[in-house]
Amino acid sequence: MNIIGIIASQRKEGNTAFIVNKLLEGAKDQGAKTQSFHFSDLNINPCRGCMACHKGAEGCVIKDDMQKIYEEMEHADAIVLGLPIYMGQMSAQGKIFTDRLFARFSPKFSPFFKEVVTKQKLVLSFNQGNPDASLFKPYMDYTNHMFEILEFDVREVPVVTDLRSGAIDEREDLCMSLKNFGSALVLEEAHKSVS
Ligand SMILES: Cc1cc2nc3c(=O)[nH]c(=O)nc-3n(C[C@H](O)[C@H](O)[C@H](O)COP(=O)(O)O)c2cc1C
């Protein structure tokens, strides 16, 4: 199984990077091939709204690092999208990534990906400073639904909360449950292929 992680935060050693990497670690332990893309290492521009992706057959015409992600997404069975909550919503990096998907992953809008028949798994992993997990739930549910409309098989990881107090790497239960979630993703796929 091939899994890519997208870390939609500018903080290189931040919470989102930690969470996505733990999820990928669990998947790797079960034999998955994993790699992560960190926004702080990439030059990814916002969608220009030029609609060239829908008029032509080449996909997005912005030649930046998103092209590498498009390429890897074509070969990925699952995408782990790590989204920190900034001002009650996904970070700007998360939104830039989401908008750029317009060019590639919407057969309803674009002829480019018509041949996609199997839905790609999308693991949405939100994290936030506030300890109340229900605070942004309507927004998270809405976002899950939006990605489902875009033909993803959305998997929700429980939101990681209370990230203003203490170091995330000291939360052993959290680390374990993130790794278990990553492992389960691979085991589920393996189970499907033998049944
Ligand atoms: C600009 C900014 C806005 C934030 N807004 C919220 C918020 O609205 N609610 C919340 O619970 N946490 C908020 N936080 C806290 C982050 O969600 C939290 O620290 C997260 O783990 C940061 O991830 P990172 O280390 O990968 O950047 C905010 C942090 C920043 C920097």
Coordinates of all heavy atoms in Angstrom, one line a residue, residues 94-185:
G94 N -3.6 24.3 4.2 CA -4.6 23.2 3.9 C -5.5 23.7 2.8 O -5.9 22.9 1.9
K95 N -5.9 24.9 2.9 CA -6.9 25.4 1.9 C -6.3 25.6 0.5 O -6.9 25.3 -0.5 CB -7.5 26.8 2.4 CG -8.6 27.3 1.5 CD -9.8 26.3 1.6 CE -11.1 26.9 1.0 NZ -11.1 26.9 -0.5
I96 N -5.0 26.0 0.5 CA -4.3 26.1 -0.8 C -4.2 24.7 -1.5 O -4.5 24.5 -2.6 CB -2.9 26.7 -0.6 CG1 -3.0 28.2 -0.4 CG2 -2.0 26.5 -1.9 CD1 -1.7 28.9 0.0
F97 N -3.8 23.7 -0.6 CA -3.8 22.3 -1.2 C -5.1 21.9 -1.7 O -5.3 21.4 -2.8 CB -3.3 21.4 0.0 CG -3.4 19.9 -0.4 CD1 -2.4 19.3 -1.2 CD2 -4.4 19.2 0.1 CE1 -2.5 18.0 -1.5 CE2 -4.5 17.8 -0.2 CZ -3.6 17.2 -1.0
T98 N -6.2 22.1 -0.9 CA -7.5 21.7 -1.3 C -8.0 22.4 -2.6 O -8.5 21.7 -3.5 CB -8.5 22.1 -0.1 OG1 -8.1 21.5 1.1 CG2 -9.9 21.6 -0.5
D99 N -7.7 23.7 -2.7 CA -8.1 24.4 -3.9 C -7.4 23.8 -5.1 O -8.0 23.7 -6.2 CB -7.8 25.9 -3.8 CG -8.8 26.6 -2.9 OD1 -9.7 26.0 -2.4 OD2 -8.6 27.8 -2.6
R100 N -6.1 23.5 -5.0 CA -5.4 23.0 -6.1 C -5.8 21.6 -6.5 O -5.5 21.1 -7.6 CB -3.9 23.0 -5.8 CG -3.2 24.4 -5.6 CD -3.1 25.2 -6.9 NE -2.2 24.5 -7.8 CZ -0.9 24.6 -7.8 NH1 -0.3 25.4 -6.9 NH2 -0.2 24.0 -8.8
L101 N -6.6 20.9 -5.7 CA -7.1 19.6 -6.1 C -8.2 19.7 -7.2 O -8.5 18.8 -7.9 CB -7.7 18.9 -4.9 CG -6.8 18.4 -3.8 CD1 -7.6 17.7 -2.7 CD2 -5.7 17.5 -4.4
F102 N -8.7 20.9 -7.3 CA -9.8 21.2 -8.3 C -9.3 20.7 -9.7 O -10.1 20.2 -10.4 CB -10.0 22.7 -8.3 CG -11.1 23.2 -9.2 CD1 -12.5 22.8 -8.9 CD2 -10.9 24.0 -10.2 CE1 -13.5 23.3 -9.7 CE2 -11.9 24.5 -11.0 CZ -13.2 24.1 -10.8
A103 N -8.0 20.9 -9.9 CA -7.5 20.5 -11.3 C -7.5 19.0 -11.5 O -7.5 18.6 -12.7 CB -6.1 21.1 -11.4
R104 N -7.5 18.2 -10.5 CA -7.2 16.8 -10.7 C -8.3 15.8 -10.2 O -8.4 14.8 -10.8 CB -5.9 16.5 -9.9 CG -4.7 17.3 -10.3 CD -4.2 16.9 -11.6 NE -3.6 15.5 -11.5 CZ -2.6 15.1 -12.2 NH1 -2.0 16.0 -13.1 NH2 -2.1 13.9 -12.1
F105 N -8.9 16.1 -9.2 CA -9.7 15.0 -8.6 C -11.2 15.3 -8.5 O -11.9 15.0 -7.5 CB -9.2 14.8 -7.1 CG -8.0 13.9 -7.2 CD1 -6.8 14.3 -7.3 CD2 -8.2 12.5 -7.1 CE1 -5.7 13.5 -7.4 CE2 -7.2 11.6 -7.2 CZ -5.9 12.1 -7.3
S106 N -11.7 15.8 -9.6 CA -13.1 16.0 -9.6 C -13.7 15.6 -11.0 O -13.9 16.5 -11.8 CB -13.5 17.4 -9.2 OG -14.9 17.5 -9.2
P107 N -13.9 14.3 -11.2 CA -14.4 13.9 -12.5 C -15.7 14.6 -12.9 O -16.0 14.8 -14.0 CB -14.7 12.4 -12.3 CG -13.9 12.0 -11.1 CD -13.8 13.2 -10.2
K108 N -16.5 15.1 -11.8 CA -17.7 15.8 -12.2 C -17.4 17.1 -12.9 O -18.2 17.6 -13.6 CB -18.5 16.1 -10.9 CG -19.1 14.8 -10.2 CD -20.2 15.2 -9.3 CE -20.7 14.0 -8.6 NZ -20.1 13.8 -7.3
F109 N -16.3 17.7 -12.6 CA -15.9 19.0 -13.2 C -14.9 18.8 -14.3 O -14.9 19.6 -15.2 CB -15.3 19.9 -12.1 CG -16.2 20.2 -11.0 CD1 -15.8 20.0 -9.7 CD2 -17.5 20.6 -11.1 CE1 -16.6 20.2 -8.6 CE2 -18.3 20.9 -10.1 CZ -17.9 20.7 -8.8
S110 N -14.0 17.9 -14.1 CA -12.9 17.9 -15.0 C -12.8 16.5 -15.8 O -13.0 15.5 -15.2 CB -11.6 18.0 -14.2 OG -10.5 17.7 -15.0
P111 N -12.5 16.6 -17.0 CA -12.4 15.3 -17.8 C -11.1 14.6 -17.5 O -10.9 13.5 -17.8 CB -12.4 15.8 -19.3 CG -11.9 17.2 -19.2 CD -12.3 17.8 -17.9
F112 N -10.2 15.3 -16.8 CA -8.8 14.8 -16.6 C -8.8 13.4 -15.9 O -8.0 12.6 -16.2 CB -8.0 15.8 -15.9 CG -6.5 15.6 -16.0 CD1 -5.9 15.9 -17.2 CD2 -5.8 15.0 -15.0 CE1 -4.5 15.6 -17.4 CE2 -4.4 14.8 -15.1 CZ -3.8 15.1 -16.3
F113 N -9.6 13.3 -14.9 CA -9.5 12.1 -14.1 C -10.7 11.1 -14.3 O -11.0 10.4 -13.4 CB -9.3 12.5 -12.6 CG -7.9 12.2 -12.1 CD1 -6.9 12.8 -12.6 CD2 -7.7 11.1 -11.2 CE1 -5.6 12.5 -12.2 CE2 -6.4 10.8 -10.8 CZ -5.4 11.5 -11.3
K114 N -11.3 11.2 -15.4 CA -12.5 10.3 -15.7 C -12.2 8.8 -15.4 O -13.1 8.1 -15.0 CB -13.0 10.5 -17.1 CG -14.0 11.7 -17.2 CD -15.4 11.2 -17.4 CE -16.5 12.1 -17.0 NZ -16.5 13.4 -17.7
E115 N -10.9 8.4 -15.7 CA -10.6 7.0 -15.6 C -10.6 6.5 -14.1 O -10.5 5.3 -13.9 CB -9.4 6.6 -16.4 CG -8.1 7.1 -15.7 CD -7.7 8.5 -16.2 OE1 -8.6 9.3 -16.6 OE2 -6.5 8.9 -16.1
V116 N -10.6 7.4 -13.2 CA -10.5 6.9 -11.8 C -11.8 6.2 -11.4 O -12.9 6.8 -11.5 CB -10.3 8.1 -10.8 CG1 -10.4 7.7 -9.4 CG2 -8.9 8.7 -11.0
V117 N -11.6 4.9 -11.0 CA -12.9 4.2 -10.7 C -12.9 3.9 -9.2 O -13.9 3.9 -8.5 CB -13.0 2.9 -11.5 CG1 -13.6 3.2 -12.8 CG2 -11.8 2.1 -11.6
T118 N -11.7 3.6 -8.6 CA -11.6 3.3 -7.2 C -11.4 4.6 -6.4 O -10.5 5.3 -6.7 CB -10.4 2.3 -6.9 OG1 -10.4 1.3 -7.9 CG2 -10.5 1.7 -5.5
K119 N -12.2 4.7 -5.4 CA -12.1 6.0 -4.6 C -10.8 5.9 -3.8 O -10.4 4.9 -3.2 CB -13.2 6.1 -3.6 CG -14.5 6.5 -4.3 CD -15.5 6.8 -3.2 CE -16.8 7.3 -3.9 NZ -17.8 7.8 -2.9
Q120 N -10.1 7.0 -3.8 CA -8.8 7.1 -3.0 C -9.2 7.4 -1.5 O -10.0 8.2 -1.3 CB -8.0 8.2 -3.6 CG -6.5 8.1 -3.3 CD -5.8 9.1 -4.2 OE1 -6.3 10.1 -4.6 NE2 -4.6 8.7 -4.6
K121 N -8.5 6.7 -0.6 CA -8.7 7.0 0.8 C -8.1 8.4 1.2 O -7.0 8.7 0.7 CB -8.1 6.0 1.7 CG -8.8 4.6 1.7 CD -8.2 3.8 2.8 CE -8.9 2.4 2.8 NZ -8.7 1.6 1.6
L122 N -8.8 9.1 1.9 CA -8.3 10.4 2.4 C -8.5 10.4 3.9 O -9.7 10.5 4.4 CB -9.0 11.6 1.7 CG -8.5 13.0 2.2 CD1 -7.1 13.3 1.7 CD2 -9.5 14.1 1.8
V123 N -7.4 10.4 4.6 CA -7.5 10.5 6.1 C -7.4 11.9 6.5 O -6.3 12.6 6.3 CB -6.3 9.6 6.7 CG1 -6.4 9.7 8.2 CG2 -6.4 8.2 6.2
L124 N -8.4 12.4 7.1 CA -8.4 13.8 7.5 C -8.1 13.9 9.0 O -8.8 13.4 9.8 CB -9.8 14.4 7.3 CG -10.2 14.9 5.9 CD1 -11.6 15.6 6.0 CD2 -9.2 15.8 5.3
S125 N -6.9 14.5 9.3 CA -6.5 14.6 10.7 C -6.3 16.0 11.1 O -5.4 16.7 10.8 CB -5.1 13.8 10.7 OG -4.5 14.0 12.0
F126 N -7.3 16.5 11.9 CA -7.3 17.8 12.4 C -6.7 17.9 13.7 O -6.7 16.9 14.5 CB -8.8 18.3 12.6 CG -9.5 18.7 11.3 CD1 -10.4 17.9 10.7 CD2 -9.3 20.0 10.8 CE1 -11.0 18.3 9.5 CE2 -9.9 20.4 9.6 CZ -10.8 19.5 9.0
N127 N -6.0 19.0 14.1 CA -5.5 19.2 15.4 C -5.7 20.6 15.8 O -5.8 21.5 15.0 CB -4.1 18.7 15.5 CG -3.1 19.6 14.8 OD1 -2.7 20.6 15.3 ND2 -2.8 19.3 13.5
Q128 N -5.9 20.8 17.1 CA -6.2 22.2 17.6 C -5.6 22.4 19.0 O -5.3 21.5 19.8 CB -7.7 22.3 17.7 CG -8.4 21.4 18.7 CD -9.9 21.4 18.6 OE1 -10.5 21.3 17.5 NE2 -10.5 21.6 19.8
G129 N -5.5 23.7 19.4 CA -5.1 24.0 20.7 C -6.1 23.8 21.8 O -5.9 23.4 22.9
N130 N -7.4 24.1 21.4 CA -8.5 24.1 22.4 C -8.7 22.6 22.9 O -8.7 21.7 22.0 CB -9.7 24.7 21.8 CG -10.8 25.0 22.8 OD1 -11.3 24.2 23.5 ND2 -10.9 26.3 23.0
P131 N -9.0 22.4 24.2 CA -9.2 21.1 24.7 C -10.6 20.5 24.3 O -10.8 19.3 24.4 CB -9.1 21.2 26.2 CG -9.3 22.6 26.5 CD -8.9 23.4 25.3
D132 N -11.5 21.3 23.8 CA -12.9 20.9 23.6 C -13.0 20.3 22.1 O -13.0 21.1 21.2 CB -13.9 22.1 23.8 CG -15.3 21.7 23.5 OD1 -15.6 20.5 23.1 OD2 -16.2 22.6 23.7
A133 N -13.1 19.0 22.0 CA -13.1 18.3 20.7 C -14.4 18.7 19.9 O -14.4 18.5 18.7 CB -13.0 16.8 20.9
S134 N -15.4 19.1 20.6 CA -16.7 19.4 19.9 C -16.7 20.8 19.3 O -17.6 21.1 18.5 CB -17.9 19.2 20.8 OG -17.9 20.2 21.8
L135 N -15.8 21.6 19.7 CA -15.8 23.1 19.3 C -15.9 23.3 17.8 O -16.7 24.1 17.4 CB -14.6 23.7 19.9 CG -14.6 25.3 20.0 CD1 -15.8 25.7 20.9 CD2 -13.3 25.8 20.6
F136 N -15.1 22.6 17.0 CA -15.2 22.9 15.6 C -15.8 21.7 14.8 O -15.6 21.5 13.6 CB -13.8 23.2 15.1 CG -13.1 24.3 15.8 CD1 -12.0 24.1 16.6 CD2 -13.6 25.6 15.7 CE1 -11.4 25.1 17.3 CE2 -13.0 26.6 16.4 CZ -11.9 26.4 17.2
K137 N -16.5 20.9 15.5 CA -17.1 19.6 14.9 C -17.9 19.9 13.7 O -17.8 19.3 12.6 CB -17.8 18.8 15.9 CG -18.2 17.4 15.4 CD -18.6 16.4 16.4 CE -18.8 15.0 15.8 NZ -19.5 15.0 14.6
P138 N -18.8 20.9 13.7 CA -19.6 21.2 12.5 C -18.7 21.5 11.3 O -19.0 21.1 10.2 CB -20.5 22.4 12.9 CG -20.6 22.3 14.4 CD -19.2 21.8 14.9
Y139 N -17.7 22.3 11.6 CA -16.7 22.6 10.5 C -16.0 21.4 9.9 O -15.9 21.2 8.7 CB -15.7 23.6 11.0 CG -14.6 23.9 9.9 CD1 -14.9 24.6 8.8 CD2 -13.4 23.3 10.1 CE1 -13.9 24.8 7.8 CE2 -12.4 23.5 9.2 CZ -12.6 24.2 8.1 OH -11.6 24.4 7.1
M140 N -15.6 20.5 10.9 CA -14.9 19.3 10.5 C -15.8 18.3 9.7 O -15.5 17.8 8.7 CB -14.3 18.6 11.7 CG -13.1 19.4 12.3 SD -12.7 18.8 13.9 CE -11.5 20.1 14.4
D141 N -17.1 18.2 10.2 CA -18.1 17.4 9.5 C -18.3 17.9 8.1 O -18.4 17.2 7.1 CB -19.4 17.3 10.3 CG -19.3 16.5 11.5 OD1 -18.3 15.8 11.7 OD2 -20.2 16.6 12.4
Y142 N -18.4 19.2 8.0 CA -18.7 19.9 6.7 C -17.5 19.5 5.8 O -17.7 19.2 4.6 CB -18.8 21.4 6.9 CG -18.7 22.1 5.6 CD1 -19.8 22.2 4.8 CD2 -17.5 22.7 5.2 CE1 -19.7 22.9 3.6 CE2 -17.4 23.3 4.0 CZ -18.5 23.4 3.2 OH -18.4 24.1 2.0
T143 N -16.3 19.7 6.3 CA -15.1 19.4 5.5 C -15.0 18.0 5.0 O -14.7 17.7 3.8 CB -13.8 19.8 6.3 OG1 -14.0 21.1 6.8 CG2 -12.6 19.7 5.4
N144 N -15.3 17.0 5.9 CA -15.4 15.6 5.5 C -16.3 15.4 4.4 O -16.0 14.8 3.4 CB -15.9 14.8 6.7 CG -14.9 14.6 7.8 OD1 -13.7 15.0 7.6 ND2 -15.3 14.1 8.9
H145 N -17.5 16.0 4.5 CA -18.5 15.9 3.5 C -18.1 16.5 2.1 O -18.3 15.9 1.1 CB -19.8 16.5 4.0 CG -21.0 16.4 3.0 ND1 -21.4 15.1 2.6 CD2 -21.7 17.3 2.4 CE1 -22.4 15.3 1.8 NE2 -22.6 16.6 1.6
M146 N -17.4 17.6 2.2 CA -16.9 18.3 1.0 C -16.0 17.3 0.3 O -16.0 17.2 -0.9 CB -16.3 19.6 1.4 CG -15.8 20.4 0.3 SD -14.1 20.0 -0.2 CE -13.1 20.4 1.2
F147 N -15.1 16.7 1.0 CA -14.1 15.8 0.4 C -14.8 14.5 -0.2 O -14.4 13.9 -1.2 CB -13.0 15.4 1.3 CG -11.9 16.4 1.4 CD1 -11.7 17.2 2.5 CD2 -11.1 16.7 0.3 CE1 -10.7 18.1 2.6 CE2 -10.1 17.7 0.3 CZ -9.9 18.4 1.5
E148 N -15.9 14.1 0.5 CA -16.7 13.0 0.0 C -17.3 13.3 -1.4 O -17.3 12.5 -2.3 CB -17.8 12.5 1.0 CG -17.2 11.7 2.1 CD -18.2 11.5 3.2 OE1 -19.3 12.0 3.2 OE2 -17.8 10.8 4.2
I149 N -17.8 14.5 -1.5 CA -18.4 15.0 -2.7 C -17.3 15.0 -3.8 O -17.6 14.7 -5.0 CB -19.0 16.4 -2.6 CG1 -20.2 16.3 -1.7 CG2 -19.3 17.0 -3.9 CD1 -20.8 17.7 -1.3
L150 N -16.1 15.2 -3.4 CA -15.0 15.2 -4.4 C -14.5 13.7 -4.6 O -13.4 13.5 -5.1 CB -13.8 16.1 -3.9 CG -14.1 17.6 -3.9 CD1 -13.0 18.3 -3.3 CD2 -14.3 18.1 -5.4
E151 N -15.3 12.8 -4.3 CA -15.1 11.4 -4.6 C -14.0 10.7 -3.8 O -13.4 9.7 -4.2 CB -14.8 11.2 -6.1 CG -15.8 11.8 -7.1 CD -17.1 11.0 -7.1 OE1 -17.2 9.9 -6.4 OE2 -18.1 11.5 -7.7
F152 N -13.6 11.3 -2.6 CA -12.7 10.6 -1.8 C -13.4 9.7 -0.8 O -14.5 9.9 -0.4 CB -11.9 11.6 -0.9 CG -10.8 12.3 -1.7 CD1 -11.0 13.6 -2.1 CD2 -9.6 11.7 -2.0 CE1 -10.0 14.3 -2.8 CE2 -8.6 12.4 -2.7 CZ -8.8 13.7 -3.1
D153 N -12.7 8.6 -0.4 CA -13.2 7.7 0.6 C -12.6 8.3 1.9 O -11.5 8.0 2.3 CB -12.7 6.3 0.3 CG -13.0 5.3 1.4 OD1 -13.8 5.7 2.4 OD2 -12.5 4.2 1.4
V154 N -13.4 9.1 2.6 CA -12.9 9.9 3.7 C -12.8 9.1 5.0 O -13.8 8.4 5.4 CB -13.7 11.2 3.9 CG1 -13.2 11.9 5.2 CG2 -13.6 12.1 2.7
R155 N -11.7 9.1 5.6 CA -11.5 8.5 7.0 C -11.2 9.5 8.0 O -10.2 10.3 7.7 CB -10.4 7.4 7.0 CG -10.5 6.4 5.9 CD -11.9 5.7 6.1 NE -12.2 4.8 5.0 CZ -11.8 3.5 4.9 NH1 -11.1 3.0 5.9 NH2 -12.1 2.8 3.8
E156 N -11.9 9.6 9.0 CA -11.7 10.7 10.0 C -10.9 10.1 11.2 O -11.3 9.1 11.8 CB -13.1 11.1 10.5 CG -13.1 12.5 11.2 CD -14.4 12.8 11.7 OE1 -15.4 12.1 11.4 OE2 -14.5 13.8 12.4
V157 N -9.8 10.8 11.5 CA -9.0 10.4 12.7 C -9.6 11.3 13.8 O -9.8 12.5 13.5 CB -7.5 10.8 12.5 CG1 -6.7 10.2 13.7 CG2 -7.0 10.3 11.2
P158 N -9.8 10.8 15.0 CA -10.3 11.7 16.1 C -9.4 13.0 16.2 O -8.1 12.9 16.1 CB -10.2 10.9 17.3 CG -10.2 9.5 16.9 CD -9.6 9.5 15.5
V159 N -10.0 14.1 16.3 CA -9.2 15.4 16.3 C -8.3 15.4 17.6 O -8.7 14.9 18.6 CB -10.2 16.6 16.4 CG1 -11.2 16.5 17.5 CG2 -9.4 17.9 16.5
V160 N -7.1 15.8 17.3 CA -6.1 15.9 18.4 C -6.3 17.3 19.1 O -6.1 18.3 18.4 CB -4.7 15.7 17.9 CG1 -3.7 15.8 19.1 CG2 -4.5 14.3 17.3
T161 N -6.6 17.3 20.4 CA -6.9 18.5 21.0 C -5.9 18.9 22.1 O -4.9 18.2 22.3 CB -8.3 18.4 21.8 OG1 -8.2 17.4 22.7 CG2 -9.4 18.1 20.8
D162 N -6.1 20.1 22.7 CA -5.3 20.5 23.9 C -3.8 20.6 23.6 O -3.0 20.3 24.4 CB -5.6 19.5 25.0 CG -5.4 20.1 26.4 OD1 -5.2 21.4 26.4 OD2 -5.3 19.4 27.4
L163 N -3.5 21.2 22.4 CA -2.1 21.3 22.0 C -1.4 22.5 22.5 O -0.3 22.8 22.0 CB -2.0 21.0 20.5 CG -2.3 19.6 20.1 CD1 -2.4 19.4 18.6 CD2 -1.2 18.6 20.6
R164 N -2.1 23.3 23.4 CA -1.4 24.5 23.9 C -0.6 24.1 25.1 O 0.3 24.8 25.5 CB -2.4 25.6 24.2 CG -2.9 26.2 23.0 CD -3.7 27.5 23.3 NE -4.5 27.9 22.2 CZ -5.9 27.9 22.1 NH1 -6.6 27.5 23.2 NH2 -6.5 28.3 21.0
S165 N -0.9 23.0 25.7 CA -0.3 22.6 27.0 C 0.6 21.4 26.8 O 0.1 20.3 26.5 CB -1.3 22.4 28.1 OG -2.3 21.5 27.7
G166 N 1.9 21.5 27.0 CA 2.7 20.4 27.1 C 3.2 19.9 25.7 O 2.6 20.3 24.7
A167 N 4.2 19.1 25.7 CA 4.8 18.6 24.4 C 4.0 17.4 23.9 O 3.7 16.5 24.7 CB 6.2 18.2 24.7
I168 N 3.7 17.4 22.6 CA 2.9 16.3 22.0 C 3.6 15.0 22.1 O 2.9 14.0 22.3 CB 2.5 16.7 20.6 CG1 1.4 15.7 20.1 CG2 3.7 16.8 19.7 CD1 0.8 16.1 18.8
D169 N 4.9 15.0 22.0 CA 5.6 13.7 22.0 C 5.6 13.0 23.4 O 6.1 11.9 23.5 CB 7.0 13.9 21.5 CG 7.9 14.9 22.2 OD1 7.3 15.6 23.1 OD2 9.1 15.0 21.9
E170 N 5.2 13.7 24.4 CA 5.1 13.1 25.8 C 3.7 12.4 26.0 O 3.5 11.8 27.0 CB 5.3 14.2 26.9 CG 6.8 14.6 26.9 CD 7.0 15.8 27.8 OE1 6.1 16.2 28.5 OE2 8.2 16.3 27.7
R171 N 2.8 12.6 25.0 CA 1.5 12.0 25.2 C 1.5 10.6 24.6 O 1.2 10.3 23.4 CB 0.4 12.9 24.5 CG 0.2 14.1 25.3 CD -0.5 15.2 24.6 NE -1.9 14.8 24.2 CZ -2.7 15.7 23.7 NH1 -2.4 17.0 23.5 NH2 -3.9 15.3 23.3
E172 N 1.9 9.6 25.4 CA 2.2 8.3 24.9 C 0.9 7.6 24.4 O 1.0 6.9 23.4 CB 2.7 7.4 26.1 CG 4.2 7.7 26.3 CD 4.8 6.9 27.4 OE1 4.3 5.8 27.7 OE2 5.9 7.4 27.9
D173 N -0.2 7.8 25.1 CA -1.5 7.2 24.6 C -1.9 7.7 23.2 O -2.3 7.0 22.3 CB -2.7 7.5 25.5 CG -2.6 6.8 26.8 OD1 -1.6 6.0 26.9 OD2 -3.4 7.0 27.7
L174 N -1.6 9.0 23.0 CA -1.9 9.6 21.7 C -1.0 9.0 20.6 O -1.5 8.6 19.5 CB -1.8 11.2 21.8 CG -1.8 11.9 20.4 CD1 -3.2 11.8 19.9 CD2 -1.4 13.4 20.6
C175 N 0.2 8.9 20.9 CA 1.2 8.4 19.9 C 0.8 7.0 19.5 O 0.8 6.6 18.4 CB 2.6 8.3 20.5 SG 3.3 10.0 20.8
M176 N 0.4 6.2 20.5 CA 0.0 4.8 20.3 C -1.3 4.8 19.4 O -1.3 4.0 18.5 CB -0.2 4.1 21.7 CG -0.4 2.6 21.6 SD 1.0 1.8 20.7 CE 2.2 2.0 22.0
S177 N -2.2 5.6 19.8 CA -3.5 5.5 19.0 C -3.3 6.0 17.6 O -3.9 5.5 16.6 CB -4.7 6.2 19.7 OG -4.5 7.6 19.7
L178 N -2.4 7.0 17.4 CA -2.1 7.5 16.0 C -1.5 6.4 15.2 O -1.8 6.1 14.0 CB -1.3 8.7 16.0 CG -1.9 10.0 16.5 CD1 -0.9 11.1 16.8 CD2 -3.0 10.5 15.5
K179 N -0.5 5.7 15.8 CA 0.2 4.6 15.1 C -0.8 3.5 14.8 O -0.7 2.9 13.7 CB 1.4 4.1 16.0 CG 2.6 5.0 15.9 CD 3.8 4.4 16.6 CE 4.3 3.2 16.0 NZ 5.6 2.7 16.6
N180 N -1.7 3.2 15.8 CA -2.6 2.1 15.6 C -3.6 2.4 14.4 O -3.9 1.6 13.6 CB -3.5 1.9 16.8 CG -2.7 1.2 17.9 OD1 -1.6 0.6 17.6 ND2 -3.1 1.2 19.2
F181 N -3.9 3.7 14.3 CA -4.8 4.1 13.2 C -4.1 3.9 11.9 O -4.7 3.4 10.9 CB -5.3 5.6 13.4 CG -6.4 5.9 12.4 CD1 -7.7 5.9 12.9 CD2 -6.1 6.3 11.1 CE1 -8.7 6.1 12.0 CE2 -7.1 6.6 10.2 CZ -8.4 6.5 10.7
G182 N -2.8 4.3 11.8 CA -2.1 4.1 10.6 C -1.9 2.7 10.2 O -2.1 2.3 9.1
S183 N -1.7 1.8 11.2 CA -1.6 0.4 11.0 C -2.9 -0.2 10.5 O -2.9 -1.0 9.6 CB -1.2 -0.4 12.3 OG 0.1 0.0 12.7
A184 N -4.0 0.2 11.1 CA -5.3 -0.3 10.8 C -5.7 0.0 9.3 O -6.3 -0.8 8.7 CB -6.4 0.3 11.7
L185 N -5.2 1.1 8.8 CA -5.5 1.5 7.5 C -4.9 0.5 6.5 O -5.5 0.1 5.5 CB -4.8 2.9 7.2 CG -5.3 3.8 6.1 CD1 -6.8 4.2 6.3 CD2 -4.4 5.0 6.0

